[in-house]
Amino acid sequence: MTQLSAAHTKPSDGSKALYGGKGTRRITVRDITLAKERGEKWPMLTAYDAMTASVFDEAGIPVMLVGDSAGNCHLGYETTVPVTLDEMAVLSAAVVRGTQRALIVADLPFGSYQEGPVQALRSATRLVKEAGVGAVKLEGGERSHEQIRLLVEAGIPVMAHIGLTPQSVNAMGYRVQGRGEEAAAQLLRDAKAVQDAGAFAVVLELVPAELAAEVTRVLHIPTVGIGAGPETDAQVLVWTDMLGLTSGRVPKFVKKYADLREVMGNAAKAFAEDVVGGTFPLEEHSVH
């Protein structure tokens, strides 16, 4: 598939483009649906605090995910599994307060929906009521079908997540999903199941590019890729990976657009050296 031209990414129905558009209202799931219909690609980034979210909002990022990846990025956990609903509620509310335009999607953390649809509804309702998010995301295809259906029937938009599902790391590990005929067929069944249940979009994580392209063609809801090739409707990255704040190895699919770890480290060293050397604060930094 050739890259869409700028003309083809602009709305023809009078609505505004998702990326970079200006407006006085929040982006909604209907806007996401219309973008799929007109073939507009769009970006999504994670966010976990008001200040970072405000920067991305001003940059025109149309959808932000308050991911349970906060466990790895900000809370010091080795995986996303320990993240609690209480923590997600606090982080999600901060991101909502820091934004004006973006659709805010919050993860339902591990243990907050696996018991069944009623638990899922209780957890999702809390994030909508207390944090003010516009949608929630949960992992699983066919196994989460009933949870998604009940949430949607209750008026809570759901973004699904299939392929590599980090909350299941203890069972599946971190490896590409959907390789081989049987695994590919299961991923397609999962994709159709979440669409049938009413999900407005689905994340495809660490899925072979050809399979992700097929899923994108088959579904009428948008696909959001992360390590799933270029043919999905949208792309998402963890912001600390994208801006070079993450230490150590990052996944192959990450493109680093800046090196904030180096910038922040150099600034901290410069501050420390000024303090130790007696050159900060100077007269202009003093109050009289």
Side-chain angles (χ1 to χ4, degrees):
M1 181 183 293
T2 59
Q3 187 175 9
L4 291 173
S5 67
H8 288 146
T9 62
K10 292 181 179 179
S12 59
D13 56 3
S15 59
K16 296 181 179 180
L18 291 183
Y19 166 65
K22 304 298 181 182
T24 58
R25 66 168 179 83
R26 289 274 181 185
I27 289 173
T28 67
V29 295
R30 173 168 169 73
D31 297 314
I32 303 300
T33 299
L34 291 174
K36 170 82 171 185
E37 293 176 0
R38 62 181 176 251
E40 177 190 347
K41 289 181 176 287
W42 46 274
M44 180 166 79
L45 286 172
T46 63
Y48 316 106
D49 65 271
M51 185 174 293
T52 304
S54 70
V55 173
F56 295 159
D57 203 44
E58 291 170 6
I61 300 299
V63 185
M64 289 183 221
L65 171 65
V66 188
D68 57 6
S69 49
N72 311 86
C73 301
H74 292 279
L75 301 178
Y77 302 138
E78 290 187 5
T79 70
T80 65
V81 173
V83 177
T84 68
L85 187 61
D86 285 343
E87 290 167 334
M88 289 304 304
V90 170
L91 298 174
S92 299
V95 171
V96 171
R97 289 193 296 267
T99 57
Q100 296 181 342
R101 179 176 179 268
L103 170 65
I104 309 303
V105 183
D107 266 337
L108 290 182
F110 180 75
S112 69
Y113 62 95
Q114 281 84 357
E115 289 180 15
V118 174
Q119 185 199 29
L121 179 58
R122 187 181 304 116
S123 300
T125 299
R126 183 178 173 193
L127 292 179
V128 171
K129 287 174 67 70
E130 294 182 16
V133 302
V136 299
K137 181 171 76 64
L138 56 80
E139 296 182 358
E142 289 183 324
R143 62 184 168 88
S144 297
H145 178 273
E146 292 305 318
Q147 284 94 324
I148 295 171
R149 182 176 299 281
L150 181 59
L151 265 59
V152 173
E153 289 176 350
I156 300 176
V158 177
M159 178 180 285
H161 184 153
I162 62 175
L164 174 66
T165 48
Q167 292 175 9
S168 303
V169 61
N170 291 328
M172 66 169 54
Y174 291 105
R175 57 188 178 87
V176 176
Q177 302 297 306
R179 281 181 173 160
E181 186 174 339
E182 183 176 343
Q186 180 60 56
L187 191 131
L188 277 168
R189 287 195 295 271
D190 285 336
K192 292 175 181 177
V194 299
Q195 176 176 266
D196 292 344
F200 74 90
V202 57
V203 173
L204 306 177
E205 181 167 359
L206 214 58
V207 173
E210 297 82 3
L211 179 57
E214 181 179 358
V215 172
T216 302
R217 287 192 296 269
V218 168
L219 297 188
H220 62 73
I221 62 173
T223 57
V224 184
I226 178 166
E231 298 300 325
T232 54
D233 298 299
Q235 298 288 336
V236 61
L237 284 176
V238 172
W239 86 261
T240 53
D241 293 343
M242 185 272 292
L243 288 176
L245 195 59
T246 305
S247 63
R249 294 181 60 185
V250 296
K252 176 183 177 181
F253 56 76
V254 172
K255 180 176 179 178
K256 189 166 70 172
Y257 287 83
D259 193 345
L260 286 194
R261 193 172 188 87
E262 181 178 359
V263 171
M264 293 173 69
N266 289 341
K269 290 175 183 177
F271 164 70
E273 290 167 2
D274 280 358
V275 172
V276 172
T279 58
F280 178 83
L282 298 174
E283 178 65 24
E284 62 263 34
H285 307 121
S286 301
V287 177
H288 299 286

